[in-house]
Amino acid sequence: MRRAFLARVADMIRNEPDTTYFTVDIGMWAIRDVLRDFPDRCTNVGIYEDGMFSIAAGMARRGLVPTIFGIQPYLIERTLEQIKMDLAYQKLGINVVGTGAAVDYPKYGYSHYCAEDAQIIKMIPGCEFVAPGSAKQFIQLFDQSYRDGHPTFFRVSDHPNVNYDVDVEFGKANVIRTGSKATVIAVSVMLDEVMKVCADKDVTVLYYTTLEPFDHKTLAENCPSGKLLVVEPEYEGTLLYDIHKALSGRPLRIEQVAFPREIFRNYGTYDEKMEHYGLTAEAIRTKLDKLLNEE
Amino acid sequence: MKQILKDLRKDSLLLSHKCQDGNLQSVFSCLDVVWTLYDKIMNWSAEKATDPDRDFFIISKGQATLALYPVLIRKGLFSFDEVAEHIGQFDSRYCIQTDLSKFPEGGVENNAGSLGHGMPFAVGIANANKIKNSPSRVFVLCGDGEFCEGTMWESCIFASAKKLDDLCLIIDDNNSVGAMVDMGDMQKKLDAFGFDVAVINGHDTDEAEETFRTIMDNHNGRPKAVIAKTVRGYGSKTMTEHDIWFHKAPNAEELELLCKEVDEF
């Protein structure tokens, strides 16, 4: 996904003179030619996030289309007031592409983990949050939204779906399959795990890659049972507000497979973390069976 | 004091009285520089407030917004009566700090309120101007206290690295940091950060005009900084002597007294 993004950046800078790009000192090698050839519009700004967002907002004020690439917690948490004041409040659009989704730097500790990213951005009106499940989907979603005038945050994952790589549309959920007994919401890179369990069950599977704006309509039209399993690679509860909004007035029974809201003090590998926190096909099966067996 | 500078101060007082809010000490310390920029320096007029090549005035020290509205009124962008009738009211566009989204016809260039934002925002505009080959210049008004924020210094590094010599940082140095931390020699600091720096009496509009003209004419790749030495509440004896006017709006009686002081200043 990162490689696809950087190739898109190189193409964008070469061919679209109103675009600009700042990297916070990562991913330079892949775009070394454009860094050299377009120093005014393509810059390694160093370890510099908060003021950089204000600078990018100033450039957007003059009609340019800035894109910033960095590490998710520093792009979203260090810069929170810049996002609120300089982007959302002033209605200025930039693109923010973050690596290190949730626990993609598994050995680095809590400083580098960011399971709260979507929740934080969803709290600031006007911001958009996109979590593609594959490189192809990243390009589709980026191309559909990068000039839309909003602050748009892209979560780039190093662990994409492999078996289910459907075409996606910004702001729209995909109906992967339909069934009657429950609705499973699969978010971003969790689709493969969800389908290991759900491919032969009588359930609806909805696939979300745009988390803000959330597609309430597709959920409202595809939850006949009122039973929901939410499988999301963020802190648990990130989508609950939108689920209740979409299904307002209906009795609901909701289970979740997501990261628990605690500080992670463990290291190891990505797979160990997903296993430890129960973001696995086995945990999905257990919670879905519980949901399906209830009256 | 020139009559126009007295009139602007009295407009600020009346607006503050109308909305029962405002940071008048801070407004009075920077008003002379703001007026000089709009009246003598900037390529700006009410008729070309949205011209892509106009000069930009960014108010980073948003607490002095009541210095900006009177200047824009005198420059014909809105009427005093309109602002006075609506300022601070529920559905008004005249906020105590500026809101860009409510001024599609121009005049307000940024949203203020949180300190440490306007300066990097101005640097972004100046950088975009350079990329777009626009002759537009950017003047950003900051408080001396604002330089406690790290984003100010970060954006100084960026402005210097990008050689943004059409950017002018103005520090309203009304000694607010005297009550905080010792910032040391700001002239030396900004020089070390790659800026051309001038220090002026911020209440001498002739000196300010001459300094802005000279410094902005020097296209040497170095961003510009003008440190305006000012006095909090300048123009009113009461306000210079009593820091309660840092954040206080006058009642009817105080309004009359303060206007009289301005007239006699």
Side-chain angles (χ1 to χ4, degrees):
Chain A
M1 218 181 285
R2 263 195 266 193
R3 276 198 296 274
F5 163 61
L6 291 168
R8 181 71 183 86
V9 164
D11 174 65
M12 182 173 74
I13 293 296
R14 284 196 184 285
N15 297 304
E16 301 172 49
D18 62 343
T19 61
T20 66
Y21 176 73
F22 295 110
T23 169
V24 186
D25 202 35
I26 62 171
M28 283 79 69
W29 181 250
I31 56 161
R32 58 193 179 281
D33 292 345
V34 283
L35 279 166
R36 181 197 61 220
D37 296 344
F38 300 89
D40 284 347
R41 293 194 293 116
C42 189
T43 305
N44 174 11
V45 292
I47 313 302
Y48 179 28
E49 285 95 1
D50 43 2
M52 170 49 47
F53 272 54
S54 306
I55 289 174
M59 296 171 73
R61 176 84 173 88
R62 294 295 273 142
L64 299 179
V65 181
T67 297
I68 295 175
F69 183 42
I71 296 176
Q72 196 76 330
Y74 316 129
L75 292 176
I76 286 181
E77 290 167 325
R78 180 175 291 175
T79 60
L80 191 56
E81 194 184 52
Q82 276 73 25
I83 297 168
K84 171 184 161 177
M85 277 297 297
D86 301 330
L87 299 172
Y89 191 25
Q90 298 194 116
K91 297 185 178 180
L92 294 172
I94 69 168
N95 302 298
V96 181
V97 181
T99 185
V103 293
D104 271 12
Y105 290 111
K107 296 181 177 63
Y108 285 64
Y110 187 55
S111 63
H112 280 64
Y113 306 156
C114 199
E116 60 274 29
D117 53 356
Q119 179 95 346
I120 290 170
I121 294 304
K122 284 171 70 62
M123 286 300 293
I124 302 179
C127 290
E128 298 170 340
F129 193 93
V130 177
S134 71
K136 178 186 83 177
Q137 290 170 4
F138 174 87
I139 296 299
Q140 290 175 336
L141 294 164
F142 186 83
D143 284 351
Q144 290 166 29
S145 60
Y146 77 114
R147 286 179 177 276
D148 70 3
H150 289 266
T152 307
F153 294 78
F154 298 85
R155 175 199 260 222
V156 171
S157 171
D158 292 339
H159 302 274
N161 297 308
V162 175
N163 298 319
Y164 288 86
D165 190 8
V166 296
D167 290 330
V168 292
E169 188 179 339
F170 177 83
K172 292 275 171 59
N174 292 65
V175 181
I176 302 296
R177 70 190 311 282
T178 55
S180 63
K181 300 283 177 54
T183 295
V184 180
I185 291 178
V187 175
S188 186
V189 295
M190 297 308 296
L191 183 59
D192 272 3
E193 294 301 298
V194 164
M195 292 306 288
K196 281 180 191 172
V197 176
C198 297
D200 58 355
K201 289 203 186 297
D202 182 15
V203 297
T204 292
V205 174
L206 304 180
Y207 178 49
Y208 278 83
T209 50
T210 304
L211 306 190
E212 186 65 41
F214 187 84
D215 178 2
H216 298 99
K217 184 168 178 283
T218 298
L219 176 56
E221 292 171 351
N222 288 280
C223 192
S225 65
K227 290 183 175 181
L228 269 161
L229 173 62
V230 185
V231 183
E232 54 184 347
E234 308 105 24
Y235 274 147
E236 57 193 351
T238 296
L239 297 181
L240 280 184
Y241 164 78
D242 287 297
I243 290 167
H244 280 281
K245 193 170 177 180
L247 302 172
S248 172
R250 300 193 211 174
L252 299 176
R253 171 74 180 90
I254 301 173
E255 284 286 339
Q256 299 183 77
V257 170
F259 289 110
R261 295 198 179 215
E262 61 186 60
I263 291 176
F264 306 158
R265 298 186 188 276
N266 46 43
Y267 314 107
T269 66
Y270 173 84
D271 288 341
E272 281 178 296
K273 278 198 167 49
M274 299 300 266
E275 180 76 29
H276 179 77
Y277 291 115
L279 282 85
T280 60
E282 187 184 346
I284 294 167
R285 182 173 289 108
T286 301
K287 294 212 171 175
L288 183 61
D289 286 347
K290 184 181 170 197
L291 204 56
L292 295 177
N293 290 332
E294 288 176 359
E295 287 299 318
Chain B
M1 183 181 280
K2 294 173 184 170
Q3 188 58 45
I4 180 66
L5 302 175
K6 292 184 179 186
D7 292 343
L8 288 165
R9 280 175 169 78
K10 287 189 287 185
D11 287 354
S12 301
L13 286 170
L14 197 51
L15 292 179
S16 176
H17 172 67
K18 285 278 185 186
C19 67
Q20 279 301 294
D21 212 322
N23 297 78
L24 287 167
Q25 274 192 329
S26 187
V27 169
F28 276 29
S29 70
C30 68
L31 237 176
D32 303 326
V33 164
V34 178
W35 174 252
T36 302
L37 287 170
Y38 274 90
D39 193 48
K40 302 289 186 186
I41 301 298
M42 288 168 52
N43 174 28
W44 190 94
S45 68
E47 292 71 34
K48 53 179 173 186
T50 58
D51 184 317
D53 289 334
R54 71 191 179 280
D55 288 347
F56 279 72
F57 176 78
I58 300 297
I59 184 158
S60 196
K61 53 170 287 179
Q63 70 271 26
T65 295
L66 289 185
L68 179 60
Y69 290 150
V71 170
L72 295 178
I73 289 166
R74 294 281 165 173
K75 286 293 165 187
L77 196 65
F78 1 91
S79 78
F80 180 84
D81 290 346
E82 179 199 345
V83 182
E85 183 183 346
H86 297 290
I87 187 164
Q89 292 190 358
F90 185 79
D91 286 327
S92 175
R93 64 176 185 164
Y94 302 105
C95 180
I96 299 301
Q97 312 262 1
T98 51
D99 182 353
L100 160 67
S101 71
K102 295 193 174 186
F103 293 85
E105 83 282 29
V108 167
E109 304 285 16
N110 69 301
N111 288 22
S114 304
L115 297 173
H117 288 252
M119 170 65 180
F121 187 65
V123 169
I125 292 174
N127 193 42
N129 288 344
K130 188 176 178 194
I131 290 170
K132 292 160 73 88
N133 290 317
S134 167
S136 163
R137 302 175 299 175
V138 185
F139 298 86
V140 53
L141 178 70
C142 306
D144 56 332
E146 231 183 326
F147 275 82
C148 298
E149 296 278 8
T151 50
M152 305 298 281
W153 297 104
E154 295 167 2
S155 52
C156 285
I157 293 172
F158 186 92
S160 179
K162 291 290 186 180
K163 303 186 189 309
L164 303 179
D165 57 10
D166 276 339
L167 170 77
C168 184
L169 154 68
I170 301 128
I171 300 178
D172 178 21
D173 186 3
N174 60 15
N175 198 32
S176 67
V177 291
M180 306 175 199
V181 295
D182 180 4
M183 295 290 284
D185 187 329
M186 284 296 288
Q187 188 174 1
K188 278 187 185 168
K189 281 186 169 66
L190 287 166
D191 177 68
F193 272 71
F195 280 60
D196 282 347
V197 190
V199 181
I200 63 168
N201 173 355
H203 299 302
D204 182 336
T205 52
D206 295 333
E207 182 186 358
E209 179 185 350
E210 174 62 25
T211 302
F212 283 124
R213 285 198 196 287
T214 305
I215 203 166
M216 295 309 286
D217 276 348
N218 192 357
H219 300 285
N220 59 357
R222 287 167 67 89
K224 315 304 177 195
V226 173
I227 300 174
K229 295 288 186 186
T230 59
V231 176
R232 291 195 297 276
Y234 186 83
S236 153
K237 185 168 182 294
T238 299
M239 272 203 266
T240 56
E241 291 176 352
H242 300 288
D243 279 344
I244 192 172
W245 289 97
F246 170 72
H247 185 199
K248 174 175 163 57
N251 59 29
E253 190 182 336
E254 289 164 335
L255 176 67
E256 190 178 340
L257 168 75
L258 294 172
C259 283
K260 186 166 178 287
E261 286 188 4
V262 169
D263 278 332
E264 293 169 352
F265 195 82

